[in-house]
Amino acid sequence: MTTTAPPATTPHAPTLSDLRALDGAAMPSMFRLPPEVEELRDEVRHYAETVVRPRVLANDLAPADDFDWDTIRKGHELGLLRLTIPKELGGRGVGVLGCAVAMEELAAVCASTALVFGASLLGQTSVLFSGDRQLQSRFLPAFLGDEPVLACNAITEDAAGCDLLIPENAGHAADVMTARRDGDHYVLTGVKRFITNGKVADWAAVFANLEGHEGATGLTVFVVPLDSEGVTRGEVADKMGYRACLGTTLHFDEVRVPEENVIFGEGRALDYLAVQSNQARSIVAAISTGVARAALTIAKDFAGERVQGGKPLHEHQFTARKLAEMSAKVEAARLLYLQAAYQADHMLPAPVYGPAVAKLFADRAAVEVAEEAMSIVGARGYCREYGVEKLVRESFGARIYEGTPEVLALAITGALYGRRP
Amino acid sequence: MTLHTDAERSRALYRGAFAAALDDAAFVTVLKEADLRLHFVLADPGYELSLGPDGVHDRPTPGPALRLELSAATLHEILLGRLPVPRAVVTRRLAVKGPVTRLRLLGDLLPFLGREYARLALPTAH
Ligand SMILES: Cc1cc2nc3c(=O)[nH]c(=O)nc-3n(C[C@H](O)[C@H](O)[C@H](O)COP(=O)(O)OP(=O)(O)OC[C@H]3O[C@@H](n4cnc5c(N)ncnc54)[C@H](O)[C@@H]3O)c2cc1C
């Protein structure tokens, strides 16, 4: 028998952390997810399979600036845009662990859709974490209404990319967006690039350098409504993957921002970024784990059915070895992100090391597992309908945002040699 | 910061402020509802204080707790409202361990402690 139609996808490959997958065997696990996180995982898995999956291909093929509000609206109904807002404020009150588990589920179906939610949560983090109840009452209630509202996090610029993420390099950052003090306002001028949700978000956490400070040494976080005078939403990047989320250029031309919208105080953005990154990296590691898991699932299903040389592919030793290595990578990536996320929920500031290691490993696992899946599925994998080629394209995305391997390497060695906490 | 250079003097001051806050029924109610102890580890000058509805202790007592690691001088600034908790965290003057998703509760608890602390500390502050 030769397989030509795409295999019926099983929702996910068996995982050590999903006991139900092990034929009910009561395996002890280091990571029994808290019941509320398991419940969230199941809800998100259902949403991802029933709402997101049917639209994945269409969203991937759509023009770069198309945005599928309908999918996001249904995710909003589930509470995905208010995941981290505390329960007493009307949110779901989920920590980093819950967010990460939710992101794995979304990314196992569509990493790009996961990032729409992830980038919005990241934007909200600054306001939430500021503890500033006045800012919270102005900027968070929008996420609790009936209609979906998005936020974004605007750091990257044309001349300054990683320089804004590596604290030691802040002095080298070139042409960074400026913030000039003018009475009780700041005036922001500059251009942000590749801002996920920039096209569709209501407001952004914007990182700008105080006038008179070298490079990015005066980097400060501002909350900026994107309908402010002087803000223009520019072109959407025509990315090779992550096409359901819109990476947008945002132009700020003399945008006046009241001083109340400064978070953590003047010049504190690099300190904040160091704290924020350690939380966000566990979550991005979960996205990469989801991508790797999706690739493993497709490869496993295909190798289970596809017969060559008189037996299913998985019975050929080379393929068996590949599937085994892929499984090991998915499991290891998951354990690393779960551990890092657990730490982030129990330590503030979250430590540098665990999340950076988790992201470095999971991002690479995604690339390697997707590539192996492509080789197992063969020509069909090279065509769109199996979804493997999308996974290959998207596997590279997370290696760029929230820390490239090189940025992570500096964070990890910084921790190893005691340069960073 | 002469108030907090000597561990015994510093401990007595915070102990007094925390104990006074516990005389306020409203504070005790918030603390009980939070179901969370505050365990202060004051590395500089070097002592610990654990605060729960049952009193102030020199050692950790059982139960869920937020462990706050900071210097006595930083706690002084926080309690007097001069240093917001998030800024203390991002500038790494405060490390929190435990269920940190519940850090928001500090916003409800610290004003009570701050009021009593200001009453005791400010007349003698340098
Ligand atoms: C899918 C996607 C979503 C994104 N979403 C957002 C968003 O929402 N908000 C936002 O602000 N940005 C976003 N970005 C942008 C992303 O954060 C940046 O692309 C990233 O920080 C890297 O910056 P750069 O592309 O300018 O690369 P550069 O900084 O120019 O780096 C190029 C290469 O040089 C390496 N390099 C740089 N510095 C060093 C060094 N000191 N030592 C060793 N190697 C180094 C890098 O690792 C990289 O390999 C997104 C990007 C993608 C792909």
Side-chain angles (χ1 to χ4, degrees):
Chain A
M1 181 195 105
T2 53
T3 310
T4 49
T9 48
T10 53
H12 58 101
T15 66
L16 287 178
S17 49
D18 180 358
L19 301 184
R20 288 175 315 172
L22 296 170
D23 292 325
M27 284 278 291
S29 169
M30 253 171 76
F31 288 105
R32 292 303 301 260
L33 295 175
E36 67 276 12
V37 175
E38 283 196 352
E39 202 177 300
L40 173 69
R41 178 196 62 192
D42 293 348
E43 284 176 54
V44 177
R45 186 176 291 171
H46 183 257
Y47 161 73
E49 288 298 339
T50 57
V51 178
V52 181
R53 192 179 291 286
R55 308 184 194 196
V56 167
L57 191 58
N59 284 339
D60 188 44
L61 293 175
D65 57 357
D66 258 29
F67 191 68
D68 180 3
W69 272 112
D70 200 40
T71 296
I72 301 308
R73 183 170 291 108
K74 295 202 165 77
H76 175 53
E77 284 162 13
L78 196 64
L80 293 180
L81 290 172
R82 53 188 156 83
L83 268 187
T84 51
I85 297 178
K87 283 189 180 142
E88 60 271 25
L89 298 183
R92 285 201 66 150
V94 166
V96 177
L97 181 66
C99 273
V101 168
M103 287 300 141
E104 182 192 328
E105 292 308 319
L106 288 171
V109 173
C110 179
S112 181
T113 303
L115 193 60
V116 173
F117 293 107
S120 188
L121 295 174
L122 194 63
Q124 287 172 15
T125 304
S126 50
V127 171
L128 272 172
F129 188 56
S130 72
D132 183 331
R133 295 196 175 188
Q134 181 262 117
L135 273 181
Q136 293 178 349
S137 66
R138 283 170 58 210
F139 289 101
L140 297 182
F143 300 101
L144 309 173
D146 290 341
E147 282 303 303
V149 163
L150 295 167
C152 62
N153 207 42
I155 304 174
T156 309
E157 308 201 359
D158 254 332
C162 294
D163 279 351
L164 297 176
L165 301 180
I166 303 172
E168 297 83 348
N169 286 357
H172 299 289
D175 299 332
V176 180
M177 171 187 271
T178 55
R180 173 171 52 82
R181 181 101 203 191
D182 181 20
D184 55 5
H185 279 65
Y186 292 84
V187 180
L188 270 50
T189 301
V191 181
K192 295 289 176 185
R193 297 289 312 265
F194 307 115
I195 307 307
T196 300
N197 295 343
K199 189 79 178 176
V200 284
D202 270 29
W203 56 266
V206 179
F207 293 67
N209 191 45
L210 293 175
E211 204 173 52
H213 289 71
E214 198 187 345
T217 55
L219 208 64
T220 302
V221 194
F222 300 86
V223 188
V224 184
L226 291 178
D227 60 359
S228 302
E229 203 179 328
V231 177
T232 315
R233 302 177 204 248
E235 74 277 10
V236 173
D238 195 3
K239 303 192 293 299
M240 73 181 235
Y242 279 92
R243 295 184 61 85
C245 64
L246 311 187
T248 309
T249 299
L250 290 174
H251 300 267
F252 295 77
D253 182 13
E254 303 262 312
V255 178
R256 291 180 69 77
V257 183
E259 63 186 356
E260 306 87 75
N261 290 22
V262 170
I263 306 190
F264 307 112
E266 286 190 350
R268 292 290 176 214
L270 289 169
D271 293 330
Y272 167 62
L273 268 179
V275 171
Q276 183 209 56
S277 298
N278 296 340
Q279 294 193 334
R281 282 172 186 163
S282 326
I283 294 174
V284 179
I287 291 182
S288 285
T289 305
V291 170
R293 171 181 127 192
L296 171 62
T297 302
I298 294 173
K300 176 192 106 315
D301 289 348
F302 185 86
E305 292 187 3
R306 174 74 171 168
V307 175
Q308 289 291 285
K311 53 186 178 183
L313 282 182
H314 73 91
E315 290 180 20
H316 291 278
Q317 286 184 355
F318 272 145
T319 310
R321 175 69 191 262
K322 283 181 184 175
L323 289 166
E325 296 285 353
M326 291 158 77
S327 303
K329 284 173 187 167
V330 172
E331 293 301 336
R334 181 178 294 109
L335 287 173
L336 285 171
Y337 94 64
L338 287 174
Q339 176 173 274
Y342 180 85
Q343 282 177 354
D345 279 342
H346 290 83
M347 291 171 84
L348 245 188
V352 171
Y353 185 74
V357 166
K359 184 173 187 296
L360 182 75
F361 185 87
D363 290 352
R364 194 173 59 219
V367 170
E368 291 173 354
V369 175
E371 190 209 312
E372 287 292 34
M374 172 71 89
S375 97
I376 288 173
V377 181
R380 290 166 189 82
Y382 202 62
C383 303
R384 289 201 194 276
E385 77 263 29
Y386 269 74
V388 182
E389 60 82 35
K390 176 176 185 281
L391 292 168
V392 170
R393 285 185 279 119
E394 293 199 334
S395 68
F396 284 93
R399 282 165 67 127
I400 302 170
Y401 64 86
E402 273 312 326
T404 62
E406 293 74 26
V407 168
L408 297 173
L410 290 173
I412 291 165
T413 53
L416 283 178
Y417 290 98
R419 291 194 304 274
R420 298 211 194 155
Chain B
M1 165 76 48
T2 51
L3 275 180
H4 293 292
T5 39
D6 174 66
E8 282 321 305
R9 188 172 170 216
S10 173
R11 185 205 301 267
L13 193 51
Y14 283 131
R15 208 177 216 293
F18 295 176
L22 285 171
D23 287 338
D24 184 336
F27 177 68
V28 178
T29 304
V30 179
L31 203 52
K32 278 189 176 151
E33 276 172 6
D35 188 26
L36 206 60
R37 306 185 65 84
L38 297 183
H39 182 63
F40 295 88
V41 180
L42 300 144
D44 178 15
Y47 64 93
E48 300 182 18
L49 279 178
S50 180
L51 167 68
D54 58 335
V56 189
H57 305 270
D58 288 339
R59 290 275 163 270
T61 42
L66 274 182
R67 178 185 160 100
L68 304 156
E69 298 174 0
L70 71 179
S71 71
T74 299
L75 182 57
H76 169 91
E77 286 186 53
I78 289 175
L79 291 183
L80 294 182
R82 295 174 188 163
L83 177 64
V85 167
R87 199 178 302 174
V89 170
V90 298
T91 53
R92 296 183 188 271
R93 294 165 69 183
L94 166 65
V96 187
K97 294 184 181 146
V100 297
T101 42
R102 302 179 66 197
L103 194 64
R104 202 181 144 76
L105 284 169
L106 286 185
D108 299 329
L109 295 170
L110 290 180
F112 290 97
L113 300 177
R115 198 178 56 220
E116 298 304 331
Y117 178 72
R119 204 171 50 76
L120 294 178
L122 286 186
T124 53
H126 295 261

